[in-house]
Amino acid sequence: MSDNTSPDFIRATSCADDYDPDAMSVDSARKYIRAFLNPVTLQENQPLRSTLGRVLAQDIISPCNVPNHDNSAMDGYALNSADFPQHGLVTLTIAGAAFAGKPFEGSIKSRECVRIMTGAGIPAGANAVVIQEQVQSNGKQISFSTIPKAGQNVRRAGEDLQLGQVVLPAGHIMRPADLGLIASLGIGEIKVFRRLRVAFFSTGDELASIGNTLKSGQVYDSNRYTLYGMLARMGVDVVDLGMVPDDPTLLEQTLLDASSNVDVILTSGGVSVGEADYMKQLLNQLGQVVFWKISLKPGRPLAYGKIGNAHYFGLPGNPVAVMVTFYQFVREALLVLMGRPNPAPLPLLSVTCTEPLKKASGRTEFQRGILYPDANGIWLVRPTGNQGSGILRSMSEANCFIVLPEHCGNVGAGETVQVQILEGLI
Ligand code: AMP
Ligand code: MG
């Protein structure tokens, strides 16, 4: 490990053989970060709808069976399939009707059936439903020769959820289906973890705010906008601390103020070679921060550590590198901190790449790709154009990352690559 970055909390794990801050693999960096994440513990009761995107702090246990009674899956006639021969024409008398919410109160006798609508309770004595398209009816009797088996077209009580079953575990992130699922149990308020507070700011003397005319050598600060978007999508409370010039006093003040107010601080810029020593000194005074050169393109420099109680991520300044490092390191860390103990890895799908890709072995690359269907509906991928880490347009054009692992070199047209879909992420 490097000389001036040996804080206690990293020393603890740096005994591992593979710890090399100047050549950290993406997986090792994730593993080290993971070792220091302490999830929020404070819980709050919330009405169901406002829990969308939040992390469950309790197991949801079913207080009932869903559905709570056997009911019909189709419009047709409820009958007892054991009441007649299993072949030939059958004629039954219609004894009444059952509608969703208005059950047939009696019970079916021999050679009787009950007109039944989807969702209506199966009457006593019936065990199957013959669908209306398969019967002849004169209003009093039905005849049919397609004999339903016991249980056919019947939704069983508890077939969706059973009384006492853990429906969703603590740590689950609430999605639209979950809102409905919990509503189907009659539960209107649940416990979720408090929202995570995340502050961010951009560093760099060359940055200008939108609304100002650019002077020679200046660029507009775009990273605060992509960071805002990525964080907002994750459902955290976002604190935008603006732009801070490369001035040690201002940077120190901003970092210290933030560390007492938020759970996580993100910065962009100022952690690459040339600037790193200066930021290193400052961050080592303030907290316990390590600087890594990750075997990753784009996104080689990355700083991680603690400033006070706040987790700190120093992301690179290049606009694409900010997004790649956010999705590869920050996203998963935020999920853990939000109360989700084991975030599932993002799915990797194998697809044929239709164009050659330039790739140096020894680092993981996240090239920007476009997934598209060919004339036969088979999905293929091609790279967006220029893969420079400053070409933010490539992220807007892309609908996937083409993930090229550390060991792989150039890829030929027609070879299989792995992709991570951006839909839902960005
Ligand atoms: P740095 O990591 O500070 O050396 O910055 C690397 C590159 O990213 C430089 O070309 C910077 O001008 C650019 N950059 C840094 N911060 C931002 C930002 N907030 N918005 C747009 N570009 C940036
Ligand atoms: Mg800079």
Side-chain angles (χ1 to χ4, degrees):
M1 82 174 282
S2 68
D3 48 358
N4 58 348
T5 55
S6 44
D8 293 344
F9 85 110
I10 286 297
R11 198 178 287 129
T13 53
S14 64
C15 308
D17 294 339
D18 62 342
Y19 187 86
D20 178 358
D22 291 328
M24 285 287 277
S25 72
V26 172
D27 284 344
S28 310
R30 272 198 200 118
K31 201 174 80 194
Y32 284 104
I33 293 169
R34 193 66 178 268
F36 300 103
L37 300 174
N38 49 333
V40 296
T41 51
L42 198 75
Q43 308 176 358
E44 51 197 32
N45 276 321
Q46 286 291 320
L48 195 49
R49 283 185 187 170
S50 31
T51 66
L52 186 62
R54 310 237 353 222
V55 182
L56 269 180
Q58 62 169 115
D59 288 346
I60 302 290
I61 312 270
S62 181
C64 55
N65 284 321
V66 178
N68 67 1
H69 58 281
D70 290 356
N71 69 90
S72 181
M74 304 290 277
D75 292 344
Y77 296 85
L79 45 78
N80 178 359
S81 66
D83 190 32
F84 41 77
Q86 296 303 292
H87 47 79
L89 190 71
V90 175
T91 300
L92 302 177
T93 303
I94 304 172
F99 298 91
K102 280 196 199 134
F104 174 75
E105 300 291 357
S107 68
I108 290 183
K109 301 188 190 70
S110 182
R111 294 284 161 165
E112 281 184 352
C113 65
V114 160
R115 174 91 175 109
I116 194 163
M117 302 297 151
T118 304
I122 301 293
N127 70 354
V129 171
V130 59
I131 63 174
Q132 62 188 16
E133 291 79 2
Q134 290 175 342
V135 309
Q136 299 285 342
S137 169
N138 63 10
K140 293 198 168 116
Q141 287 191 315
I142 58 165
S143 303
F144 55 92
S145 51
T146 311
I147 312 291
K149 296 189 188 66
Q152 201 161 337
N153 300 317
V154 174
R155 300 169 179 155
R156 289 273 167 225
E159 77 172 16
D160 189 356
L161 303 171
Q162 286 186 352
L163 171 70
Q165 179 184 342
V166 175
V167 173
L168 294 168
H172 181 81
I173 294 197
M174 291 289 295
R175 298 178 305 162
D178 307 322
L179 296 182
L181 194 67
I182 294 174
S184 79
L185 301 174
I187 298 174
E189 200 176 271
I190 54 174
K191 276 202 182 83
V192 289
F193 288 113
R194 76 162 170 85
R195 274 187 206 280
L196 208 62
R197 279 171 70 74
V198 182
F200 61 94
F201 61 90
S202 297
T203 70
D205 286 338
E206 76 281 29
L207 302 181
S209 281
I210 52 179
N212 296 315
T213 310
L214 286 188
K215 299 197 187 96
S216 165
Q218 284 192 320
V219 291
Y220 284 120
D221 173 11
S222 60
N223 289 346
R224 264 168 56 234
Y225 290 81
T226 42
L227 278 171
Y228 165 81
M230 294 186 291
L231 289 167
R233 279 278 177 96
M234 294 201 63
V236 299
D237 283 341
V238 174
V239 183
D240 182 350
L241 298 173
M243 298 183 314
V244 180
D246 293 317
D247 170 320
T249 315
L250 283 174
L251 285 167
E252 178 173 354
Q253 202 50 52
T254 313
L255 286 166
L256 277 177
D257 286 352
S259 69
S260 55
N261 285 318
V262 298
D263 302 295
V264 181
I265 305 170
L266 305 178
T267 60
S268 78
V271 290
S272 53
V273 178
E275 294 171 302
D277 283 338
Y278 153 70
M279 278 292 269
K280 261 184 191 169
Q281 266 181 19
L282 174 64
L283 287 162
N284 280 332
Q285 278 164 27
L286 293 183
Q288 299 185 311
V289 177
V290 283
F291 285 76
W292 290 326
K293 287 181 190 141
I294 312 268
S295 319
L296 169 67
K297 190 185 171 192
R300 189 154 184 260
L302 182 79
Y304 168 71
K306 299 278 294 266
I307 301 174
N309 286 325
H311 293 269
Y312 169 73
F313 287 87
L315 307 182
N318 273 309
V320 182
V322 168
M323 298 196 76
V324 169
T325 47
F326 184 94
Y327 285 122
Q328 299 314 314
F329 303 109
V330 182
R331 176 185 170 274
E332 185 181 281
L334 294 183
L335 289 172
V336 173
L337 292 172
M338 285 159 72
R340 186 169 192 177
N342 291 304
L346 293 171
L348 277 175
L349 309 177
S350 294
V351 211
T352 302
C353 186
T354 52
E355 290 178 26
L357 304 175
K358 273 186 76 174
K359 159 76 167 59
S361 75
R363 67 192 183 203
T364 307
E365 284 194 20
F366 288 81
Q367 298 202 6
R368 275 73 67 209
I370 298 174
L371 278 168
Y372 67 98
D374 70 7
N376 301 316
I378 307 288
W379 285 81
L380 305 166
V381 69
R382 66 168 187 270
T384 61
N386 188 334
Q387 294 288 322
S389 62
I391 310 291
L392 190 52
R393 176 171 52 84
S394 69
M395 281 300 298
S396 283
E397 282 173 5
N399 58 10
C400 70
F401 282 128
I402 302 172
V403 185
L404 303 171
E406 229 174 279
H407 58 80
C408 113
N410 289 336
V411 173
E415 285 185 38
T416 301
V417 291
Q418 294 197 301
V419 299
Q420 242 171 29
I421 292 177
L422 296 178
E423 188 57 49
L425 270 188
I426 67 170

